[in-house]
Amino acid sequence: MEKVDWHKNHIDDSTLITNSYKTTQNVRRYFKSKFGDDFKFDRDFMLWMKSATGLTMGDASQEWVKRKK
């Protein structure tokens, strides 16, 4: 699995979540671009992201929406 620099790589829905995942401002910008100011990280979602290796950021977006319903 290719290493992603979560601080500066371009992130889109097809970006794979790697075992080097970090919750960065760049990741926050990605989610805010999709969900606006409604997006907030919470502890449970951050833990889910850490365990989502192999999924995509699109999958993570769907998970966030599911958790907000």
Side-chain angles (χ1 to χ4, degrees):
M1 187 175 289
E2 195 174 311
K3 186 169 171 134
V4 174
D5 183 334
W6 294 98
H7 292 282
K8 59 184 176 184
N9 279 68
H10 172 74
I11 298 172
D12 60 27
D13 288 348
S14 64
T15 302
L16 279 179
I17 300 169
T18 63
N19 58 1
S20 65
Y21 172 78
K22 298 218 181 322
T23 303
T24 65
Q25 285 298 96
N26 194 29
V27 172
R28 187 179 313 277
R29 275 191 294 276
Y30 161 78
F31 284 116
K32 286 211 174 247
S33 76
K34 295 184 70 73
F35 304 115
D37 288 334
D38 287 342
F39 178 77
K40 302 271 188 290
F41 274 113
D42 62 35
R43 188 171 304 220
D44 288 337
F45 186 61
M46 289 170 69
L47 288 172
W48 183 90
M49 290 291 296
K50 282 282 194 187
S51 68
T53 301
L55 297 177
T56 66
M57 291 299 285
D59 295 326
S61 294
Q62 290 175 2
E63 179 67 19
W64 189 82
V65 168
K66 185 172 84 174
R67 289 168 178 259
K68 293 303 162 191
K69 286 185 179 181

